[in-house]
Amino acid sequence: MSLRRGMIAALLLAGLTVLGARADTPLEPLSAFPRSLLEIKTRAGSVHHFSIWIADRPARQEQGLMFVRQLPDHTGMLFPYRQDRRITMWMKNTLIPLDMVFIGADGRIAHIAASTTPQSLDIIAAPDPVRAVLELAGGSTQDLGIRVGDQVYSDALPASRRRSRTP
């Protein structure tokens, strides 16, 4: 029985290595990513709360939500940057459609790429430099009425307007 467990463990470890962003680097479990809260206040007055993982280093940004099979409602991943930049994303090894919300330095949503195509190698970018990207389950922005111009608040955002002014 222990030999069988050892073989299963070795196969699982080998599988994780194959699934990694690079052949020599296994995926980091999402449980190791920093967590934070984020809220979006729509211009219509709705406030939506999310629990997010933070892709705070290049390796985590490269990994993103690769190989994730489902993303619960009101959950996402934030890719913050210290300076405005032209951020490009793709869906390589991403198994679920995502809404990519591009956020400016002022915390306002600058662009939304809705329901991106799983496993596509097409480049996804905002037309102008931004400070961060929030990935949500595909269709979330439409379902919640989140639009360009809405305000994003989070301590994880490297911007001056981090917290909501709503009670």
Side-chain angles (χ1 to χ4, degrees):
M1 186 71 164
S2 64
L3 178 60
R4 183 175 177 193
R5 282 186 192 165
M7 287 180 10
I8 290 171
L11 287 172
L12 286 174
L13 181 58
L16 285 176
T17 301
V18 169
L19 295 178
R22 293 177 299 249
D24 60 339
T25 306
L27 288 176
E28 181 175 2
L30 287 180
S31 60
F33 281 55
R35 299 293 307 252
S36 189
L37 299 175
L38 179 140
E39 69 179 37
I40 299 175
K41 184 176 182 182
T42 68
R43 287 177 290 163
S46 299
V47 178
H48 303 286
H49 299 273
F50 298 89
S51 174
I52 58 167
W53 292 282
I54 304 167
D56 61 341
R57 306 192 293 243
R60 288 177 174 159
Q61 291 166 347
E62 185 178 328
Q63 176 181 327
L65 293 170
M66 289 191 331
F67 300 105
V68 171
R69 295 193 180 278
Q70 68 178 37
L71 194 59
D73 291 342
H74 300 282
T75 303
M77 182 173 284
L78 183 71
F79 298 74
Y81 295 87
R82 287 188 167 88
Q83 299 172 342
D84 287 356
R85 59 182 286 183
R86 183 150 168 82
I87 301 171
T88 58
M89 311 289 279
W90 67 354
M91 296 289 290
K92 181 180 181 181
N93 299 322
T94 305
L95 306 176
I96 57 174
L98 298 172
D99 286 355
M100 293 186 187
V101 179
F102 292 80
I103 305 164
D106 62 356
R108 295 225 179 262
I109 296 174
H111 179 72
I112 298 173
S115 294
T116 56
T117 304
Q119 302 198 48
S120 171
L121 299 181
D122 293 342
I123 299 299
I124 303 161
D128 297 308
V130 293
R131 188 64 56 97
V133 177
L134 172 65
E135 292 182 341
L136 302 172
S140 294
T141 56
Q142 181 177 340
D143 293 347
L144 299 172
I146 296 169
R147 307 275 183 261
V148 169
D150 292 348
Q151 186 69 46
V152 180
Y153 300 96
S154 176
D155 287 338
L157 282 173
S160 58
R161 299 179 69 173
R162 294 178 183 212
R163 295 192 190 275
S164 171
R165 295 169 196 216
T166 59

